[in-house]
Amino acid sequence: MSVRDLHVSYGSVIALSGVNLELPAGSIVGLVGMNGSGKSTLFSALIGTIPGARGTVRILGRESARARAENLVAFVPQTEVIDRDFPISVREVVMLGRYGRLGFTRRPRAADHAAVKAALARVGLTELAERPIGALSGGQRKRAFVARGIVQDARVLLLDEPFGGVDATSQALIIRVLKELRDEGRSLLVATHDLAGIPDLCDEVLLLNRRVLFHGDPATALLPENLALTFGVAP
Ligand SMILES: Nc1ncnc2c1ncn2[C@@H]1O[C@H](COP(=O)(O)OP(=O)(O)O)[C@@H](O)[C@H]1O
Ligand SMILES: [Mg+2]
């Protein structure tokens, strides 16, 4: 995936300015920035859902909409609004990730059921598959949405704060799965506030505050002067 000179404004608020980015295959890039630094805006721009965005986004050579239509990119958003009483099971939520791959009958086939089963196992939700999604804890629900991203079998995965509000067990499960996906040769961009976990998780780090402040190896990203630049505090 590559991004060239991306600019996004909401009215008079400049959310992103002159962002360039290359996401290499087979690597996890951590996206780090304070609240309001433009992380979620960057994800929206990458999947092509911000009408006024200026710049170029290419995912395996395609424009965002085309890449999404071809299931080349999967996105796990920061927050999912779900009705606690909405009668949809965990298994059905994960199957939604296969929707773009189903034939015109929209009826899941054996391969779709197998993909869902495997993804549920990878995030440790096999036992909870028939539960209503609203009956899960925050961390379990996040894992369900990660599983929904996995079954898309996309080459590029974008995850907006997958560790936000999750317990240690869920975080460990998600981290394991993200590394497996990386080792399969996929590209991952993962927004995270867990600075302590970065050396273990990330191959590269992108520090963001409307502009790209730094993009490179995790050790350099975590130097006090770079964190000061990112979070606006004296080192
Ligand atoms: N839909 C929107 N309308 C107006 N301003 C927005 C909208 N979404 C985000 N912003 C603003 O853009 C900036 C970046 O927000 P966001 O991308 O959500 O940052 P982050 O995900 O890093 O917290 C913030 O100043 C935020 O208030
Ligand atoms: Mg955000």
Side-chain angles (χ1 to χ4, degrees):
M1 186 175 73
S2 75
V3 176
R4 286 277 159 273
D5 204 25
L6 181 67
H7 293 260
V8 178
S9 300
Y10 300 103
S12 62
V13 176
I14 297 170
L16 292 174
S17 174
V19 170
N20 293 297
L21 162 67
E22 298 282 335
L23 200 57
S27 67
I28 297 177
V29 178
L31 177 60
V32 174
M34 57 188 176
N35 293 331
S37 61
K39 300 182 297 296
S40 295
T41 298
L42 178 58
F43 285 115
S44 302
L46 294 179
I47 60 164
T49 57
I50 296 195
R54 288 193 289 120
T56 316
V57 175
R58 287 287 178 277
I59 299 170
L60 297 154
R62 283 79 157 174
E63 289 186 1
S64 303
R66 173 109 207 120
R68 275 198 296 159
E70 291 182 35
N71 280 296
L72 295 173
V73 58
F75 176 46
V76 180
Q78 184 173 2
T79 48
E80 292 271 344
V81 183
I82 57 156
D83 188 333
R84 280 225 155 243
D85 302 320
F86 194 62
I88 179 168
S89 69
V90 174
R91 182 189 303 285
E92 288 166 318
V93 165
V94 178
M95 185 61 82
L96 290 174
R98 296 297 288 186
Y99 190 78
R101 292 183 181 274
L102 301 182
F104 72 95
T105 62
R106 295 291 181 217
R107 192 172 302 143
R109 298 162 205 240
D112 301 307
H113 289 295
V116 169
K117 191 176 173 196
L120 285 166
R122 285 176 90 167
V123 300
L125 287 179
T126 301
E127 261 81 72
L128 301 180
E130 310 313 327
R131 279 236 199 131
I133 185 78
L136 297 192
S137 74
Q140 292 166 340
R141 203 178 303 160
K142 258 308 198 224
R143 275 146 58 190
F145 292 123
V146 170
R148 187 188 60 188
I150 293 174
V151 298
Q152 283 181 253
D153 199 17
R155 303 255 305 270
V156 176
L157 283 106
L158 310 173
L159 299 103
D160 195 353
E161 298 196 23
F163 313 125
V166 314
D167 58 30
T169 309
S170 289
Q171 176 154 349
L173 273 160
I174 293 171
I175 286 173
R176 192 182 68 194
V177 138
L178 298 186
K179 287 179 175 175
E180 287 171 5
L181 294 166
R182 185 255 324 265
D183 294 342
E184 291 167 13
R186 301 174 207 270
S187 307
L188 293 91
L189 181 65
V190 183
T192 176
H193 288 293
D194 179 20
L195 298 183
I198 279 180
D200 172 56
L201 177 70
C202 301
D203 303 291
E204 298 177 7
V205 172
L206 189 139
L207 302 175
L208 186 74
N209 192 5
R210 286 197 273 177
R211 300 177 298 110
V212 175
L213 304 172
F214 173 84
H215 181 185
D217 68 286
T220 308
L222 293 172
L223 288 174
E225 58 264 37
N226 281 326
L227 294 180
L229 202 62
T230 309
F231 295 99
V233 291

